[in-house]
Amino acid sequence: MSAGNDAREQPAGRPGSAPPARPRGGVLAAVRETVLVVAVALVISLVVKTFLLQAFYIPSQSMERTLDIGDRVVVSKLTPGPFELHRGDVVVFADPGGWLADTPEPERSPLGAVVADVLTFVGLLPEDSDEHLIKRVVGLPGDHVVCCDARGRVTVNDVPVDETAYLYPDADPSLDPFDVTVPEDGLWVMGDNRAESADSRYNRDKEHDGFVPLEDVVGRAYAVVWPLSHADWLGTPGAFDGVPGRSGVG
């Protein structure tokens, strides 16, 4: 007699055998797992929004043709910081003080307002643009920015800049002259649709004299992600490659 015969298992369903164990709390376990997955996803989203990336909505025409009204852009919070911010980069920044007019709150139901606030807080909805602006960096700390030279171009550190690659079609670099030196803690910014952009040029009577404090910069806009028909990568243009001085700020 072989040992295998003595240790043979009982076949399933054999009379006298114990019925298979039934899982307990199946629905409750599924609910717990779902709640855990959602909680982890929200935590990850919050961490990403706080330290890495954030979505923003474009509310105005000041950055056309680069950005249209209704575009959603993704902003890297690592620039400036670990990565340098360069002339020509598109940046999102908090209102330095008085740049934006008061806008009415959107009408939502109480539940809709709570849901929108939560989703915005964790980064699943674009940040409310009422308190932020998006412009292009033209002058870094220490730069001497002037408009305009004999051919109507902006100059940075005495070098004329060809901005036709991103300016709104047929737009002048500026219809209003200016001659500024950017402070060490600031940026000089301008919209691509110069005739429709209330940028550094038109806020020189406000706090910070039209310059954007570096501490108010949320980050650099890297890509248009919505609508899909307008999806695009927002790289650093080569228009400022010949400008002397510092190449970036971290």
Side-chain angles (χ1 to χ4, degrees), residues 78-92:
L78 299 178
T79 310
F83 301 104
E84 285 193 332
L85 186 66
H86 301 99
R87 301 179 193 89
D89 287 343
V90 176
V91 294
V92 169

Side-chain angles (χ1 to χ4, degrees), residues 16-248:
S17 64
R22 294 181 179 179
R24 296 181 178 179
V27 174
L28 183 59
V31 171
R32 285 200 300 262
E33 183 176 352
T34 300
V35 171
L36 179 60
V37 169
V38 171
V40 170
L42 291 177
V43 170
I44 293 174
S45 180
L46 180 59
V47 170
V48 169
K49 171 198 167 183
T50 302
F51 300 105
L52 300 176
L53 301 172
Q54 191 168 356
F56 283 86
Y57 168 80
I58 305 303
S60 74
Q61 68 270 36
S62 69
M63 281 296 293
E64 292 176 342
R65 64 185 171 180
T66 304
L67 301 172
D68 290 338
I69 296 174
D71 282 354
R72 271 71 168 175
V73 298
V74 171
V75 172
S76 167
K77 292 192 166 186
L78 299 178
T79 310
F83 301 104
E84 285 193 332
L85 186 66
H86 301 99
R87 301 179 193 89
D89 287 343
V90 176
V91 294
V92 169
F93 55 95
D95 185 350
W99 286 37
L100 290 172
D102 293 334
T103 55
E105 291 288 334
E107 294 184 5
R108 294 191 181 101
S109 67
L111 178 60
V114 171
V115 172
D117 289 344
V118 170
L119 293 180
T120 300
F121 178 72
V122 299
L124 296 179
L125 281 182
E127 181 73 20
D128 187 352
S129 299
D130 288 347
E131 298 178 359
H132 295 82
L133 300 97
I134 185 165
K135 306 292 180 187
R136 192 177 297 275
V137 176
V138 175
L140 294 175
D143 282 347
H144 181 209
V145 187
V146 178
C147 187
C148 290
D149 68 1
R151 294 176 54 186
R153 298 169 298 182
V154 170
T155 67
V156 181
N157 299 334
D158 299 324
V159 174
V161 180
D162 181 0
E163 301 183 275
T164 54
Y166 52 78
L167 282 184
Y168 190 79
D170 300 323
D172 293 308
S174 181
L175 294 176
D176 298 291
F178 57 85
D179 186 333
V180 299
T181 299
V182 186
E184 280 303 311
D185 60 348
L187 300 171
W188 181 263
V189 299
M190 300 171 73
D192 290 354
N193 190 1
R194 299 286 162 84
E196 300 293 338
S197 178
D199 48 42
S200 288
R201 296 169 295 165
Y202 304 111
N203 289 283
R204 285 180 282 173
D205 60 336
K206 307 283 179 37
E207 187 179 5
H208 308 297
D209 303 319
F211 301 105
V212 176
L214 285 170
E215 64 182 10
D216 288 345
V217 176
V218 175
R220 175 191 165 191
Y222 268 87
V224 181
V225 294
W226 191 263
L228 294 179
S229 60
H230 201 205
D232 197 11
W233 182 259
L234 301 174
T236 302
F240 298 87
D241 288 351
V243 174
R246 66 198 304 170
S247 61

